[in-house]
Amino acid sequence: MQSYSIFSLARHALSGHKNWRPAWRAATPRRRYKVIIVGGGGHGLATAYYLAKVHGITDVAVLEKGWIGGGNTGRNTTIVRSNYLWDGSAALYEKSLKLWEGLSQDINYNVMYSQRGVLNLGHNLQDMRDIRRRVNANRLNGIDGEVLDTAGVKQRVPFINTSADARYPVLGASWQPRAGIARHDAVAWGYARAADDLGVDIIENCEVTGVRREHGRVVGVDTTHGEIGADRVGVVVAGHAGVLADMAGFRLPLESHPLQALVSEPLKPMLDTVVMSNAVHVYVSQSDKGELVIGAGIDAYNGYGNRGSFQTMEHFLTALIELYPIFSRLRMLRHWGGIVDTSPDASPIIGKTPVDGLYFNVGWGTGGFKATPGSGWVFAHTLATGEPHSINAPFSLERFHSGALVDEHGAAAVAH
Amino acid sequence: MKARLPTGGRIDRDQPLQFRFNGQALTGFAGDTLASALLANGIHLVNRSVKLHRPRGIIGRGPEEPNALLQLGEGATALADQRATQVVLRDGMQARSINGYPSLKFDLMAIFDRAAKLLPAGFYYKTFMGPTGWWEQYEKIIRPASGMGRVPDGPDPDRYEKRDLHCPVVVVGGGPAGVMATLVLARAGVPVTLAHEQSQFGGGWLASRSSIDGAPAQDWLEAAIVELSQLEHVTLLPATTVFGHYDQHFLGAVERVSEIRPNAPLRERFWKIRCQHLILAAGAIERSIAFANNDRPGVMTASAVHEYIERYAVLPGRQAVVFTNNDAAYATAHSLHRAGAQVEIVDSRAQSGEQAQLARQAGMAVHINTQVSNTQGRLRVRSVELRHADQRCERLPCDLLAVSGGWNPSVHLHSHARGSLQWDDALASFIPQQDLAGVESIGAMAGVFDPNAALAGACEAAQRAATALGYATDATRAPVINPAEPGPTGLQALWRVAGRGPAFVDMQNDVKASDIELALREGYRSIEHVKRYSVLGFGTDQGKLGNILGLGIVSELVGMTPAQVGTTTYRPAWTPVTFGALVGTETGALFDPIRYTPMHDWHVARGAVFEDVGQWKRARYYPRAGEDMDAAVARECLATRDGVGVLDYSTLGKIDIQGPDAVTLLERVMVNNWQKLGIGRCRYGLMLDENGMVLDDGVTARLGDQHYLMSTSTGGAARVMAWLEQWLQTEWPDLDVRLTSATDQYATISLAGPLSRALMTDLGTDIDLSASAFPFMSLQTGTVAGVAARVQRVSFTGELGFEITVSADYGAHLWEQIFLRESAYAITPYGTEAMHVMRAEKGFIIVGQDTDGSISPLDLGMAGMVSARKDCLGKRSLMRSELQRDDRPQWVGLKPKAADAVIAEGAQIIATATPQGETPMHGWVTSSYFAPRLGYSFALGFVNAGRTRHGETLYAWDLDAGVIELEVTDPIQYDIEGARQNVE
Amino acid sequence: MLLITCPWCGPRDESEFSYGGEADIVRPPEPEAIDDAAWADYVFMRTNTRGLHREQWVHAHGCRRWFKAERDTVTYDIRATWPMNEEAP
C-alpha cells in the first residue's frame, strides 16, 4: 500500500499528484470466495478488513449494490460514544471506541476521530437519576464519564438556554470526554483501502438478489453479476436487512424507519462538543467545516424512502431553538434521510441465523456509525470462527425467544 | 457610485441608501441588491475563499453565487453567510467579509494558496494522523481557518410564524412562464398560488429588452400581475422561496415578509403548501467554464453582467472580454457595448455564427474558435490569455471577463420529489423528465429558452391542469414576443480549457478541475464519491454554479456521456432556510403545554418548589424560611406521620371505564384478578407490555356494576389511555367498553396521617368514616365540605389516608376549606419529595423511577399478583427462560450501615469496598432518601438474586460520592404489617 | 408531511395521527399453548414490507379511532384507508 503521510503528499506534489494509485481496486468478482460480505458500508468494509488483518482470511469479497459508503455510512451525524447502560452494550461500543482511537494510524487513513466529548442533557429529576445510573455503570465498566450540573454544561456550551423559564430547564448532563465525531466517508474509504491492500475484493454496483442454500446451509449468493459461491456469507446491511432475511427464508424483529438529519450553513467555530437531549429531542455538533450537524429520533412510520416527514424535522428544529435561541437566525442548508433498521430493544443483531454459514450483523437502528470498528471486529471473529465473540454473544437473534433483551431504550424511558 | 450608469435600470434614483462594507461608507439605491450596490461602487473583491484564501469577487446574480457571502449586522440580529446577490439593500446596512485578516486586500492566510500544491482534494485524509490523539490539536488550527459566518450573540428578537395553505394549483417561479401559466389558470377560475423568489415578479424580463407590441415585455407582465392581484382566488406570494418539494405535492416555502414590508412585525413566514397540481417554472442558471484562474474578481457569468447593466444600471467593467460557447452571452456583449464598455468576444465554437456577425456589425471584435486559457491580476482581473485554434496565445488587457459555459435548468424542485432527469444534448445539461403525476416543469426549467415557446408551453401546462381539475379554460393565448436577446442556442459543450494554473469548478470550496481528476485517479469513481472526495457542491450554493460543470469534466475524463455518469441527489433546501421560520412561535412556553392543577396558585403562594413530571408542574416541597430541601421534606414527612399531611394528587391519571365488558378489559390488561372486586372497593393493579415488562400501575376502583375508575401514574396517563384504546379497537372490538380520560376533570386531594379522619369529620361530610363502614381499599361517595366528592380510603404513605376527588372546579375551594383548619390540626402540605420518602419507607414502587422498561413483576417480587387463572397482556413473556432466571435483578431495600449516609440515586451496587478498574455490578439504586421516621437513610433498588441476599453486605458506588457500605434488606421498612393504614 | 384520510374525518395532516405498526397481526388466542419461538414471532417479528404495506394508524389528535391503511413504504403513497372492522377496499 502506498503510504499516506505529509511526506508522501509532498513527494506527490512534485509530480503534480499524477502518480497516486487508486485507494482500492475495481475488482471483478471471482466464482467463489471463502467469505462473502453483503453490504459495502462501514460495517461491512470493517468486517472485511479485520477478517484479513486479525484472522488472516483474505479470500473475501465485499458486495455493494451501489457505491461503498453510500448508505447510512455517508448519511449519519457521525457521533461516536460508548456511554451505554448495560454491560453488553458497553462492552460492544467501548471496544469500538477503543478501535476508533487508533483507527487513523491503523488503516493509514485519517478518519478524523475528534474526541471533543458528548453531553447528554438531563431536563428533569428522572433524567438526572438515569444519567447518574448510566455514568456510574460506565465508570465501573472502565468507560470514562462525568455527571455535570447546569453550570458544568454552561461552561462547555455557554449559549445553551439554561434560564429557569425554559420549558424544560437544563438540570445537568452526562459527559463522556473520549466521545466525539468522525469523518463518515473516510471510514468507508479508509477501511476499503486497507482491506483491498490485504487482498479483499471490493465489488461495487453488485446487488445480491438471492441467497443460495443447500441442505440448510448457505453455498453462495445470486447477484446482478451472476452467481458467486461462498463458504460463509455475512450480511451487513442497513435499511434492507429484512429483504435479505426474506431471501434466506426467515424473519427478523426489525422495522425500517427513516432517520433524518440536516446541516446549517458553515459558521466559525463556536460549539466545541456534541450535545444531545432525549427529552427535548435534538442533538447537534459542529463539523470541522463549520456546519451545525443536527438530528433527532426516527420518523414514526416504516419507510424505505431515504427521506422522512417534514413534521419530524420541524419538531427537532423547534427543540434546537428551544435549547439554543441564538441559532434562530442561522439557516438550514440541506436535509436528508436515511433508512435505519430498528430492533425492539434498540440493540443490534450480530450472529448466527437459522441458515448454517449465514451470519447477520443488522438492526443497528440509529446508532450504527459509532459502532463501525467494533461491529466489524466482532463480526469478523464470528465469520472466521463460526461462533460469536463474547462481546457479540448477547446480541443473538435467539434473545427474542429467550427474553434476554439488551434494552437500551427501556433504560431511558421516562414516566413517573 | 463610479460604476453606475447615468440612466436606466429598475432602481429608484430618488431613494439613495447609505450602507457600509468592511467599514467603508457607500451609497446605493432602492431596488439594488447588496451585490449590485457594491458593484456600483466599483467593488468586485468581496471575500476570500474558505480553503485557499484566494481573493474573490461577485460572480453571479442570484442563488448560485458562491463567493459573495457576507456577514450582515451585529449583535443579536447579525446574519451569517448572506449571499449579497440575494440581499435587498437597506438603508444603514452593515456588511463585512467573512475572511481576510488583517484585511481583505492583504490576507495572511493566503499562504494556503501558495501551498496549494500540498493541499489537493482529500489531502486531510492522508495526513494529520499522528501521533495518536493529535487530531484534536490539528483541529484547533483547522477549525478557525475554515467555517464562515459568525453566530448572533443573543436570542433572536424577531418573530416568525407558520401558515398552512391548501390550493388546487401552485405555480413556483414568477418569471414570464410562471406568470403566464398563473394567468391562464386564474382566468379559468382555478384557485392558484404563485410563489416567486424575488420581491418583484418578472425573472429574466427585468433585465430584458424584449418587447410585446412595441412595449417592453415586462409591461405586459406587470399588467398581468395587477390583474392577478385583483382576483380573490389568486394568491400571490412574492419574496417567497419554495425551498423543498416533498411527497404528495407538499411544498415548504418561506416568505420574507420584512423584505416587502421592512416594518412588519414579522420577519419571515413559513408556508406549508399542499396542492393537487404543481407547475414549476424555476428558470435556469448560467454555468462557468473551468480555465486557469477563472476565479479572479472581475470574472463573472455573462448573465450576471447582463443583469447588473440592464436591471441595476451598473457597469461592472469598462474593458470587457466575453467568453462563451453559446449564443446567449452575445446579449451581454451588446449590453456592455451599449453601456460604453470596450468589448471583445471570445467564442470557443469553430464556426462563426449569426450572432458573431451581428456583434461585428455593432463594432465588437469576435475571436472565433478561441478559448480563454488563463487570467492575470491580483485583486482583480487585469488581463486574459487567449488561445486560438492554432495554439497561438495572446493577452488581452481587461477589467471584466464575462463567461458563459451554457445554462443549467434549475431542476431541483422536480428532483426533490424523486422526479427523473434526462440529459439534453443541445443544452448539455439535465432537464426534468416530466414523470411526476400532477407536476409539470415549464420555461427555462424545462429547457425551453425561446420566450414564445416558453409562454406557449406555459399556457398548455396551465390548460392541462385546469382541465384535470374540471375547469373549462378560456381563450387566453400567449402574447407574441419580439425577443431582444438570443438564448443559449448553438451551444458546443466546453467544460475545461487546458492551461497552467488552478481551474476552479466550485469556487466556494476551492474545488479545481485537477481535484476531480485526482479523485478519479484515486479510484473514487462514482459521481457521489467524486463529489464527496473533492467536496464539489458542498458549499452553501450547493453546486448551482459548479455541479454540472464538474459532471461534464468527469464525463470527459472517464469517457462516458454525462447521462451515463449520472447526477447526484438534489437535496432540499433550494436555498438556505432560516431555522426560526421553521420553528415559528413554538418555543418557550409554547414548546410543550404546561399543565397546572387547580390548586397551583396556592402552591405558588406557599413558596413551593416545583418539579416537572411529564407536562405537569408538581409541588416538590414547601420550604419554610431557612429550610433546605432535606429539612423541609423531613418536616413534611414527620408531620404527616404524626398528624395530617395534604398532597395535591390531581395529576394522577384517571381513566373512566364503563360498559358490560369493563371487567373483561381489566382482566386482560392487568396481571391480577378483577372478577370479584365488589362495588365500592379498590384494588392495586399492575399492567405489562407484551414483553412482560411493567408498563404502569395504579389503584382502580369499582364505582358501579359496569363502571370502573382506573388511576395511572402521572406521566403514564396518556400512554395508558392510548394503550387501552388500541387494544379495544384493534384486537378486542367485540368488547363493549367505553373509555374516557378524566384526569383534567377532577381535582384530587390526599389526606394522610392519623388525624386525617378527624380532619375529614371536621370538614363536614355525610360519609360514614368508621372503619367498619369505610374500610381500607374502599370507596364512598357523598359530600365533603359541601362539595360532591368521591373518597377513596387508600394509602401511598402507609398512614390512614383519604383521597378526596371533586370536580376540578371545586379543587381550589376544597383545598382552602382544608387549610382554614390548618392551625387546629397542624395540617402540613407536602410535596412529591415527601410522598416519595414515605412510600419508600413502605417499599412501594414508582413506575418510571424504580422501573425502567426492563423490570418484570417477577423482578419486583409480585409474582403472587399474577393470576394463574387467566391470561393477560405480557403474561406469556414471563414464562420465557430469561425471565425465570433466579439471578435476575430483584427489588430490594438497601440500608446503609452508617445511618446518615444517603446513597445517590443512580448509584451502582458492587461487592467490593475498593473498586479498582472494571468492577462487576450487582445491581443499582433507584430511590434513596434519609427516612426521618425510620431515623436512618434508606434506599430501594435492584440486586441480582436480591431476594435471597437479604442481610448480605454490599456497597453502593457513585462517581461523586464514592463507596457506601450497606445491607441488603426487605424493601418494606416501615409498619410491615400495615397496621397504620388499616387502622380501625 | 403526508396527507392521510381518516375514514371518519377525511383527509388530515400526518401530524394529527399516530402510527400503530403492521396490521393484521393476530394475538395468539392461547399464548401459553405455543412455544417461545411462536410467541416471539408474534411479539417481535415483522414483515417490514418494502412496497405495499398493511398498517394501522390512529387519528390521535382527532377522533381517536384506529383504522387500517395500505401504504407504499417506498413511494409513501397511501393506496387506501378503511375502518378496522372492514375488508380492504
Side-chain angles (χ1 to χ4, degrees), chain B residues 192-274:
Chain B
V192 57
T193 297
L194 172 62
H196 185 51
E197 192 168 39
Q198 298 189 1
S199 49
Q200 201 177 355
F201 291 93
W205 281 9
L206 291 168
S208 172
R209 291 177 177 245
S210 296
S211 58
I212 295 170
D213 292 336
Q218 177 67 11
D219 289 0
W220 173 88
L221 194 142
E222 275 164 20
I225 293 296
V226 169
E227 180 182 340
L228 290 170
S229 65
Q230 287 162 353
L231 296 172
E232 270 195 24
H233 61 286
V234 176
T235 306
L236 295 180
L237 293 174
T240 301
T241 302
V242 176
F243 63 81
H245 175 195
Y246 306 93
D247 292 302
Q248 296 177 330
H249 303 163
F250 179 77
L251 302 169
V254 169
E255 179 185 4
R256 294 177 305 283
V257 180
S258 61
E259 190 173 303
I260 304 170
R261 289 182 289 135
N263 297 320
L266 201 61
R267 182 161 172 254
E268 295 181 358
R269 177 183 288 131
F270 171 37
W271 289 93
K272 301 186 207 184
I273 305 175
R274 268 185 203 290

Side-chain angles (χ1 to χ4, degrees), chain A residues 4-6 9-10 13 16-18 20-26 67-68 74-75 86-87 101 104-105 108-110 112-116 124-126 129 132-133 135-137 139-142 145-147 167-169 183-186 189 204 262 264-272 280 286 288-291 294 307 310 314 317-322 325-336 400-405 407 410-411 413-416, chain B residues 76-82 99 117-118 120 123-132 135-136 139 143-144 146-149 151-152 154-156 158 160 162 243 246-247 270 272 418 518 521-522 524-526 528-529 532-533 538 540 542 571-573 576-580 582-583 586-588 591-594 611-615 620 691 713-715 719 836 847-849 852-854 880-882 905-908 910 918-919 921 924 957-960:
Chain A
Y4 287 168
S5 69
I6 185 75
L9 259 179
H17 299 287
K18 302 265 190 235
W20 288 109
R21 292 199 299 276
W24 65 93
R25 295 164 292 129
W67 36 280
I68 63 165
R75 292 170 190 270
W86 300 109
D87 293 353
E101 288 178 315
S104 294
Q105 286 84 2
N108 182 231
Y109 201 104
N110 191 356
M112 304 179 201
Y113 179 42
S114 169
Q115 294 184 283
R116 53 180 68 182
N124 58 46
L125 298 174
Q126 188 56 38
R129 289 182 195 106
R132 188 163 283 279
R133 174 182 168 198
V135 175
N136 281 328
R139 289 280 285 267
L140 292 168
N141 272 322
E146 302 290 333
V147 178
R167 179 65 186 87
Y168 289 109
R183 171 83 191 123
H184 52 15
D185 290 329
W189 300 339
E204 295 180 89
L262 62 90
S264 74
E265 293 181 281
L267 301 148
K268 289 293 178 204
M270 42 87 190
L271 179 60
D272 298 327
V280 179
Q286 189 179 20
D288 285 340
K289 267 186 73 185
E291 296 162 332
I294 298 156
R307 65 193 182 282
F310 203 90
E314 276 179 274
L317 282 175
T318 305
L320 179 82
I321 302 309
E322 172 70 4
I326 69 164
F327 290 172
S328 168
R329 297 172 86 80
L330 306 181
R331 299 191 294 188
M332 172 176 80
L333 178 60
R334 188 166 61 237
H335 71 89
W336 65 91
F400 297 99
H401 298 178
S402 70
L405 305 194
D407 198 342
V414 179
H416 218 289
Chain B
T77 56
L79 291 165
D81 303 339
Q82 298 293 300
N99 286 318
K117 283 202 163 57
L118 283 173
F123 74 93
Y124 32 73
Y125 298 127
K126 295 183 174 126
T127 182
F128 302 128
M129 276 179 273
T132 303
W135 172 244
E136 289 84 47
E139 271 188 320
R143 289 185 69 206
S146 67
M148 289 170 51
V151 178
D156 192 347
D158 283 330
Y160 304 86
K162 301 187 188 189
F243 63 81
Y246 306 93
D247 292 302
F270 171 37
K272 301 186 207 184
R418 291 158 294 118
L518 177 63
R521 186 178 300 134
E522 293 196 80
Y524 300 91
R525 284 168 290 265
S526 127
E528 276 291 348
H529 281 163
R532 286 162 175 262
Y533 191 70
F538 280 89
T540 62
Q542 301 218 67
R571 285 170 170 161
V577 184
T578 309
F579 286 143
L582 299 178
V583 170
E586 295 165 12
T587 53
F591 179 68
D592 198 23
I594 303 174
E611 71 165 314
D612 286 317
V613 183
Q615 292 170 327
R620 190 178 179 197
N691 187 36
S713 63
T714 295
R719 192 178 55 216
H836 288 178
V847 170
Q849 175 169 344
D852 61 6
S854 70
R880 295 172 302 177
S881 59
E882 184 62 26
E905 287 172 344
Q908 293 284 343
I910 55 177
E918 293 182 33
T919 308
M921 286 164 267
W924 65 93
W957 185 84
D958 175 77
L959 78 163
D960 295 319

